Amino acid sequence: MNLRERLAAVRVLLLDVDGVLTDGSIVYPADGREIKCFHAKDGLGIRLLMDAGIQVGIVTGRSSEALVHRCRNLGITLIFDGVKDKGAVLEEVLARTGATPEETAFAGDDLPDIPLMRRVGFSAAVADAHEAVRQEADMVTLREGGRGAVREICEAILKARGSWEKIVEGFRCVL
């Protein structure tokens, strides 16, 4: 399949967190809480994708309450956090979603993401991903992680499925 066909086939989009949904910064105030910053445009892209029937999930090596709150806010329930071997998570993702590897996409930014990128039908890297990750990716975003890169991926999937113009038109018709 060509790139557009592979994007159109996506039924599940998996996302890394630090460096993809965030810019990779982790802030620890004096009380020890962890603070992460998420981009609102990425959030809308995720919601539009989910509204179009595409499942979105998280596969990340770290665990944080900030991520739990963001996922709850977006309605993401497919969460794999604290993962040491991201490639090994795919079987459980497929079992839970009913998708095939070819219908699954993953976006990453750093070396631990490569094993999962190699096992899915479509892989993306954010613009500021490690060079080795960009070389593995089917798509490299123009935007950096935490700065609209996920929105770019969501729009690419929706455009490949022929859904994007209808979504935009729906917003134009709102009074």
Side-chain angles (χ1 to χ4, degrees):
M1 288 192 289
N2 66 34
L3 185 60
R4 184 174 182 85
E5 291 169 333
R6 290 184 12 230
L7 274 167
V10 171
R11 291 181 46 214
V12 177
L13 172 62
L14 302 173
L15 302 166
D16 179 38
V17 176
D18 297 317
V20 175
L21 276 173
T22 75
D23 68 3
S25 299
I26 301 169
V27 178
Y28 291 103
D31 64 8
R33 290 176 300 122
E34 184 174 300
I35 298 173
K36 295 178 185 283
C37 293
F38 299 94
H39 201 293
K41 289 181 182 175
D42 289 339
L44 179 58
I46 289 168
R47 287 298 321 153
L48 294 173
L49 210 58
M50 293 170 69
D51 289 348
I54 296 166
Q55 296 179 69
V56 177
I58 302 297
V59 180
T60 181
R62 303 185 76 246
S63 299
S64 78
E65 286 301 312
L67 173 63
V68 170
H69 290 292
R70 184 61 172 155
C71 288
R72 187 176 304 132
N73 176 261
L74 293 172
I76 297 172
T77 58
L78 191 63
I79 304 168
F80 299 90
D81 59 348
V83 173
K84 300 290 185 234
D85 179 359
K86 292 184 181 182
V89 169
L90 185 60
E91 296 309 318
E92 187 172 348
V93 169
L94 302 180
R96 287 179 56 183
T97 64
T100 65
E102 296 77 24
E103 296 169 326
T104 306
F106 177 63
D109 74 306
D110 215 340
L111 301 177
D113 299 322
I114 292 173
L116 185 51
M117 291 175 75
R118 287 183 166 180
R119 298 193 62 208
V120 297
F122 177 80
S123 63
V126 296
D128 57 336
H130 187 280
E131 176 61 27
V133 175
R134 291 194 312 265
Q135 290 175 0
E136 293 287 336
D138 298 309
M139 171 188 180
V140 177
T141 64
L142 298 175
R143 293 175 184 87
E144 295 180 346
R147 306 232 184 275
V150 170
R151 172 68 169 269
E152 196 175 323
I153 296 163
C154 294
E155 286 185 22
I157 293 168
L158 292 166
K159 287 174 182 176
R161 293 169 58 103
S163 305
W164 183 247
E165 288 305 319
K166 184 176 179 183
I167 290 168
V168 172
E169 193 56 38
F171 283 98
R172 287 183 181 135
C173 293
V174 175
L175 298 178

